[in-house]
Amino acid sequence: MTPHTHAATGTATGTATGTATRTATGTAAWTERTVVRDGVRLSCRDWGGPGPSVVLLHGLAGHAGEWDTPARALSDRYRVVALDQRGHGASDRTPEDLSRAAHVADVLAVLEQLDLGPVVLAGQSLGGHTAMLTAAAHPEHVRALALVEAGPGGPNPTIAAEAGRWLDSWPLPFPSREAAVEFLGGGRVGEGWAAGLEERDAQWWPRFDREVMVASLAENARRSFWQEWEQVACPTLLVLGQSSFIPAREVDELLARRPGTLAASVPGTGHDVHLEQPEVLHRLLSEFLDGVDPAAESAPAFAAAARAAG
């Protein structure tokens, strides 16, 4: 079937358009929607769905497709949208503004232009950080928050240099997709990362610029965001890998400052929980979302899901 294009809700500061993307069987999997804010083009995967809205944010050097497995499952009950954040994936590659505030404003533009209303924000790593800042500054737009391997952290003066060294270690270009999968971790993790690459002249390249990635961490290097964490007022879920990148002392402080936060650790996983165990993450998110309804008791339902995850 030929992909079709249609207009979504727009604002004075931007427009949104969409093109259907289909599976090999011809079934619509998700619709690519483009949101424009202050001249920066942002690409979204809109999975549709019948219920309240869930917006998914990937981490540094990632892409919206990392969320495909949980997004597809959640779309049975929720309107699910995954965003390629500025500088990543199909979004504009070299935006001038890489501030944390710009990332938050992008999320708000997606909510407004796609008419999503109050949403559940879920983010992994730096995407979780963006989700947290959005929930803190704009509580009227966020009904619940899920952080996957993310927290307020900082200041971390070495984080940008560490990210730069990691990106410099990539043997670019990859000669094949299979070589990229192997280098990027193999298995589901490697497949997830490799899905964010693009093929040019029979070689495989990232869909981001190294300098943009490093510059995106500038504020995290200079300061912490504990004040913003304490400002979050909505129900919150924290999902960690068993071998988490988040230091144990930071997790303790997270929970001490907001003791109502629900938390779970997924056995056998590291930083890429959403790629390593997407089905477990979907189960945890589903149980958490069941409890977001003010009429529901979230803790008992989530406790059962957390036991199942173990």
Side-chain angles (χ1 to χ4, degrees), residues 129 152-156 219-228:
H129 193 267
N156 184 352
E219 288 178 69
N220 299 73
R222 293 195 303 267
R223 56 163 292 206
S224 67
F225 293 82
W226 287 107
Q227 181 178 351
E228 288 82 355

Side-chain angles (χ1 to χ4, degrees), residues 151-169:
N156 184 352
T158 65
I159 189 171
E162 290 169 358
R165 285 194 295 271
W166 171 59
L167 294 172
D168 290 340
S169 75

